[in-house]
Amino acid sequence: MNPWEANIRRVTPYVPGEQPKKTNMIKLNTNENPYGPAPTVTEEMKNFNTELLRLYPDPAAQVLADALAGRYGLGRDQIFVGVGSDDVLAMAFLTFFNSDKPILFPDISYSFYSVWAELYGIPYERPALDEGFRIRKEDYYKENGGVIFPNPNAPTSLAMGLSDVEDIVAHNQESIVIVDEAYIDFGGESALGLIKKYENLLVVQTFSKSRSMAGIRIGYAMGNPALIKALNDVKYSFNSYTMNQLTLVLGAAAVKDEAYFQETIGKIKATRERAKERLKALGFVYPEPSANFIFASRPGTDARALFLALKEKDIYVRYFDAPRINQYLRITIGTDEEMDTLFEFLAGYLSKTTEEMAVKC
């Protein structure tokens, strides 16, 4: 080893979902919205003044923060925006999780949590989900340096009731509790209403899923002004200009089109209900989904083999080679046409494997 290598920070990085660049593929592996952004976004992009690109963007992201504050009935000093919710969450880890006590998050959850904890040297514990993949709120009553969990959870798609979320917050008023609501628009009840009651609560959401803007990278946190100021102090010490000019304009435009937002959410929920029935008819089982994906397993069918067979046909779903969940596939809800193609393949694949097993017997 060279002497300089001893000082390199070494971490096991987060592994994102595969991003294939193929035509005519069906991409159901990264929970992207199958519908385009709001028409207001397209219009703003057409009319965008490129002269603005020679100027630094507003470090306070005022136009976007104001739009979000108006949408949620909050003060601008209760909104923090960043480059996707990953950026917001990473800043939150850096800002709030500085105790010698371990932070707590579920053992089956968003895998970036452990990456950030390792990167920043934050001690952590991962209480196990129960046999039905549900968070046991009692596991979060003990002393800790902070709590974070997604609601609905990923990759399970299960949502925790608001009363249980509040119970966790109420038991942890000496530390910061972060509720990661990347999928809340598809099911469950947001914890946003609790921030008036609990000054230690931070709620994080994103434009990547329900607002069809994963490619533009917008995330935001909502909480009491003291938490937001602390986040901004760290952000300004790290990189003042995180949001570019175009992103700010397009993000604000997206928030204004509430009708389109509700329309696409409704489409995805309707397709999810169809998908549940089709999967059930094919012998799959799954926790009740509250996100824009279904976490499905089929007894007697190897999940990894099915994942690879789908990939051969340019149908991409997500497979996690991890304990307890290595026989599950996470299937993003696409358009009705995309889902029909998926179901047609599954029916043929399962019929073929059944015949092959019968021959072997």
Side-chain angles (χ1 to χ4, degrees):
M1 179 183 291
N2 292 311
W4 50 265
E5 290 184 87
N7 297 317
I8 293 177
R9 184 184 299 275
R10 301 184 188 279
V11 295
T12 301
Y14 170 75
V15 180
E18 190 173 357
Q19 295 289 348
K21 305 297 180 186
K22 296 183 178 182
T23 57
N24 301 319
M25 67 176 176
I26 295 179
K27 191 170 184 294
L28 307 174
N29 66 327
T30 49
N31 299 340
E32 293 145 326
N33 196 312
Y35 305 105
T40 50
V41 174
T42 303
E43 196 62 28
E44 284 289 351
M45 185 172 288
K46 289 178 182 176
N47 298 327
F48 181 72
N49 179 10
T50 56
E51 178 68 15
L52 291 173
L53 296 180
R54 71 179 182 82
L55 304 173
Y56 283 110
D58 173 15
Q62 181 173 340
V63 64
L64 179 55
D66 283 348
L68 288 167
R71 166 64 164 75
Y72 293 104
L74 300 173
R76 194 169 136 244
D77 60 353
Q78 293 179 283
I79 301 284
F80 174 86
V81 297
V83 187
S85 59
D86 287 341
D87 178 49
V88 174
L89 290 167
M91 286 290 174
F93 269 61
L94 192 60
T95 304
F96 302 121
F97 295 160
N98 295 293
S99 169
D100 292 333
K101 302 170 187 173
I103 63 170
L104 307 176
F105 52 86
D107 67 329
I108 299 172
S109 190
Y110 188 30
S111 55
F112 228 141
Y113 298 158
S114 56
V115 173
W116 288 318
E118 295 285 349
L119 179 64
Y120 298 139
I122 301 167
Y124 63 93
E125 293 180 10
R126 302 189 301 172
L129 300 180
D130 69 16
E131 292 181 358
F133 293 136
R134 294 192 175 278
I135 291 173
R136 289 181 283 217
K137 61 182 181 179
E138 295 81 7
D139 291 340
Y140 297 83
Y141 292 173
K142 59 186 176 181
E143 196 173 19
N144 62 72
V147 174
I148 181 169
F149 57 91
N151 194 43
N153 198 4
T156 65
S157 191
L158 280 167
M160 180 187 294
L162 185 60
S163 61
D164 288 340
V165 172
E166 180 172 8
D167 204 42
I168 291 175
V169 179
H171 276 84
N172 290 283
Q173 295 186 59
E174 294 185 1
S175 57
I176 302 298
V177 178
I178 301 174
V179 183
D180 181 357
E181 294 187 342
Y183 302 100
I184 196 65
D185 294 318
F186 302 105
E189 188 175 356
S190 175
L192 182 60
L194 299 177
I195 66 174
K196 295 178 183 178
K197 185 175 180 181
Y198 300 98
E199 61 182 15
N200 63 315
L201 173 63
L202 193 73
V203 176
V204 177
Q205 296 187 10
T206 178
F207 280 48
S208 295
K209 317 300 182 186
S210 55
R211 293 198 181 274
S212 308
M213 296 178 74
I216 207 74
R217 312 308 299 130
I218 300 174
Y220 53 104
M222 298 172 284
N224 82 69
L227 296 184
I228 301 306
K229 181 182 184 302
L231 278 169
N232 275 314
D233 286 347
V234 171
K235 170 191 170 181
Y236 295 149
S237 302
F238 189 80
N239 181 358
S240 298
Y241 304 106
T242 57
M243 307 292 291
N244 67 65
Q245 297 275 26
L246 181 60
T247 295
L248 293 174
V249 171
L250 299 187
V255 175
K256 295 174 184 176
D257 201 332
E258 184 69 17
Y260 181 82
F261 172 70
Q262 296 297 339
E263 178 187 348
T264 54
I265 293 296
K267 286 182 180 179
I268 291 168
K269 287 182 176 180
T271 303
R272 184 180 69 196
E273 291 306 304
R274 286 184 63 242
K276 286 165 54 180
E277 294 305 312
R278 294 290 296 275
L279 287 170
K280 187 182 297 182
L282 290 167
F284 285 85
V285 295
Y286 46 81
E288 180 59 32
S290 294
N292 66 334
F293 58 87
I294 297 175
F295 193 55
S297 174
R298 188 178 189 276
T301 299
D302 182 70
R304 186 173 186 278
L306 177 53
F307 161 75
L308 293 173
L310 284 161
K311 188 174 177 179
E312 281 289 315
K313 296 297 182 180
D314 290 334
I315 302 173
Y316 291 83
V317 298
R318 192 77 189 267
Y319 173 71
F320 298 91
D321 189 9
R324 296 183 67 192
I325 60 172
N326 62 3
Q327 288 304 313
Y328 283 80
L329 297 178
R330 194 191 68 188
I331 305 169
T332 302
I333 301 301
T335 63
D336 284 332
E337 294 75 16
E338 288 174 328
M339 301 306 287
D340 285 343
T341 301
L342 168 69
F343 299 135
E344 182 180 353
F345 173 86
L346 290 176
Y349 176 87
L350 295 172
S351 176
K352 181 181 177 181
T353 53
T354 300
E355 290 175 2
E356 290 173 348
M357 289 179 64
V359 170
K360 289 180 181 178
C361 291

